[in-house]
Amino acid sequence: MTEIDFWFSIGSTYSYLTVMRLDEVAAREGITFNWRPFNVREMMIAQDNIPFAKKPAKAAYMWRDIGRRLGKYGLTAQLPAPYPLEDLALANQVALVGMAEGWGKAYVIEAYRRWFQQGQMAGSEPNLSQSIAAVGQDPARVLARAEADDTVEALAEATQDAAAAGLFGVPSFVVAGELFWGDDRLDDAIAWARAGRLA
Amino acid sequence: MTEIDFWFSIGSTYSYLTVMRLDEVAAREGITFNWRPFNVREMMIAQDNIPFAKKPAKAAYMWRDIGRRLGKYGLTAQLPAPYPLEDLALANQVALVGMAEGWGKAYVIEAYRRWFQQGQMAGSEPNLSQSIAAVGQDPARVLARAEADDTVEALAEATQDAAAAGLFGVPSFVVAGELFWGDDRLDDAIAWARAGRLA
C-alpha cells in the first residue's frame, strides 16, 4: 500500500476535521499517513492566497460548513474557534519537534482539541504548555527546542518542500505525486492510493 | 420534498461537473433544482475573492482536480478549457433569457459541452450562436433580447439576490436557507433537503 503524506498546519480550521479522525481512518483503511507540519500562512501570503480575511461571506460559510460536517464525523466543537492564530509558526515548530521525538501527532490532536473544544488558541498559552504537558513532555524544554534556530529553519524547509509538492493550502494529501486539497478530498486520496484513480 | 436552488454562472470551471450531471441526479434523487444564473465574476471582484488569476499552483490544481473527477461522473473533457471567459456576462444573459422562455437549461448544458469538449469559449462566437441554435432558437433574436437593458438589469438583480443568499462563488446550492458551495457539496445539499442534516 502506498503511503500518503498528510500536509497540515496547526492554524487551519478545516484541518480540525482531518486531524481528529485521521487515526481512525488510517486504522480502518489500512493506510499509513505521514504527518508533515509546515507554515501554511507563510506559503499562502507568498502566493497572495488569502481565503478568509476581509471576506466575510466566505468566512461565515467556512464556520457553518465545518459545523455541519462535525456530525458526519462524530465530532464536536465550539464554533467559531479563536481565529486566526496569533502564533501559527510556534504552534507548528512544536509539532515539528514532536514529530522528530515521536509525540508530534498526539500533540497536534491535543492542540486542536483545546483550540476547537475549549476555545484555547493553539500556538499561545495556555494551549502550548498544556498540550505539551498532556503528551508527557516538559513544556520549558520543548518550547526552548521549538524556538531554536534549527527548528525555525526546519519549518522553513518543510514549507519549501510543501510548495515544491504543489501545495497552496491545507489540509492536503500527496500520494504518488498526486495532490489532493481539502478534508473533503481525503476519500479521493485514499482511492488514488489504492487504484491510481478515483472510486 | 424541498426544492434546491442551483446558483451558477457559465464561466465557472467546476460548474461543468455539476451542469453535466444535474438532470441525472435530479431524476435519480427525485429532487427539483431551480437553475439560477447570475454574474459570479462581478460578485467575486466586489468581494476581492480571486481564486485562480495570478495563483498558478491553485489554478494547476483546479484543472487536475476536475480532470480526476470527470471519470467519477462518467464525463469527458479536453482540459484545460479556454479560461477565463471573455464575455461571462453575455453567456449568462442568454441563460437568463432561456430560463424565462423554457430552453435555458438545455442552452447552459450545450454551452458547457462546446466549451469543455470542443474548446469553444462560452459567451463568445461561435459557441453563443451555435448553442442557441442547438436548442431550437434563433441566435439573432435571442442575442438581441440578451443584450437588451432589461436583461442586463435582470442579471444584475440575480447577482444581488445571490449575494443576499450569502454566496461567494459557484456552483452553490441553497436549500431551506442553508448554503452549500462547490460541486463536491451537492450530496450534502441533497442530504439537507431530505433530513435537515448531513448523511
Side-chain angles (χ1 to χ4, degrees), chain A residues 157-186:
Chain A
E157 284 175 13
T159 305
Q160 290 169 3
D161 291 345
L167 268 73
F168 54 89
V170 291
S172 285
F173 309 96
V174 177
V175 50
E178 288 285 327
L179 171 64
F180 297 86
W181 169 56
D183 175 74
D184 52 17
R185 289 297 187 276
L186 176 55

Side-chain angles (χ1 to χ4, degrees), chain A residues 106-138:
Chain A
Y107 155 76
V108 173
I109 293 168
E110 182 67 13
Y112 262 102
R113 190 184 69 75
R114 289 173 185 273
W115 180 20
F116 269 68
Q117 295 179 18
Q118 300 182 6
Q120 284 186 6
M121 180 176 281
S124 299
E125 297 296 356
N127 186 312
L128 271 175
S129 290
Q130 290 185 4
S131 295
I132 293 167
V135 300
Q137 302 300 314
D138 175 54

Side-chain angles (χ1 to χ4, degrees), chain B residues 21-31 33 186-187 190:
Chain B
R21 69 189 178 104
L22 199 59
D23 266 354
E24 184 186 328
V25 170
R28 185 177 67 231
E29 304 285 346
I31 286 183
F33 291 92
L186 177 54
D187 290 345
I190 292 170

Side-chain angles (χ1 to χ4, degrees), chain A residues 47-49 55 58 61 64-65 68-69 72 168 178-181 184-185 188 192 198-199, chain B residues 47-49 55 58 61 64-65 68-69 72 168 178-181 184-185 188 192 198-199:
Chain A
Q47 294 176 347
D48 192 26
N49 182 5
K55 296 183 177 63
K58 199 172 182 199
Y61 175 81
R64 182 64 181 159
D65 188 49
R68 286 187 308 230
R69 295 174 82 82
K72 193 169 179 168
F168 54 89
E178 288 285 327
L179 171 64
F180 297 86
W181 169 56
D184 52 17
R185 289 297 187 276
D188 284 6
W192 201 272
L198 303 195
Chain B
Q47 295 177 345
D48 191 25
N49 181 5
K55 296 183 176 65
K58 200 173 182 197
Y61 175 80
R64 181 65 181 156
D65 189 49
R68 286 187 309 229
R69 294 174 82 83
K72 192 169 179 168
F168 54 89
E178 288 286 327
L179 171 64
F180 296 86
W181 170 55
D184 52 16
R185 289 296 188 276
D188 284 6
W192 201 272
L198 304 195

Side-chain angles (χ1 to χ4, degrees), chain A residues 33-47:
Chain A
F33 290 92
N34 304 315
W35 290 48
R36 306 190 65 170
F38 72 104
N39 190 330
V40 76
R41 180 180 291 170
E42 187 178 285
M43 163 184 281
M44 293 176 74
I45 289 171
Q47 294 176 347

